Amino acid sequence: MADSTEKKERPSYFKGIKSEFKKIIWPDKKATFKQSVAVVVISVVVGVIIAILDYVIKYGVHFITSI
């Protein structure tokens, strides 16, 4: 019965974080560069698409309101 009343030791919060960080597989420099370039390119492409859609919608609204 003495065992059930004693508190069990829990691992420290920071020890848990440290052990989880050891499991992370960090990307190498080449992979990080390729992913960064992909993000920039996709952002520019999406920005251009949004700009084109904005222009077309603006022209369409202007055309409809001028009738």
Side-chain angles (χ1 to χ4, degrees):
M1 283 208 165
D3 292 333
S4 63
T5 59
E6 291 179 19
K7 291 184 178 180
K8 293 181 180 179
E9 285 190 37
R10 292 187 291 170
S12 170
Y13 176 75
F14 293 107
K15 286 183 182 178
I17 290 175
K18 187 176 180 180
S19 68
E20 290 299 320
F21 263 89
K22 288 181 181 179
K23 296 177 186 177
I24 297 174
I25 300 171
W26 297 100
D28 59 346
K29 193 173 184 179
K30 185 177 179 181
T32 304
F33 178 76
K34 286 174 65 174
Q35 291 172 357
S36 298
V37 169
V39 167
V40 170
V41 168
I42 290 171
S43 298
V44 168
V45 169
V46 170
V48 168
I49 291 171
I50 290 172
I52 291 169
L53 286 174
D54 181 51
Y55 179 75
V56 169
I57 292 170
K58 185 174 99 174
Y59 178 75
V61 169
H62 180 68
F63 178 73
I64 291 172
T65 57
S66 68
I67 293 176

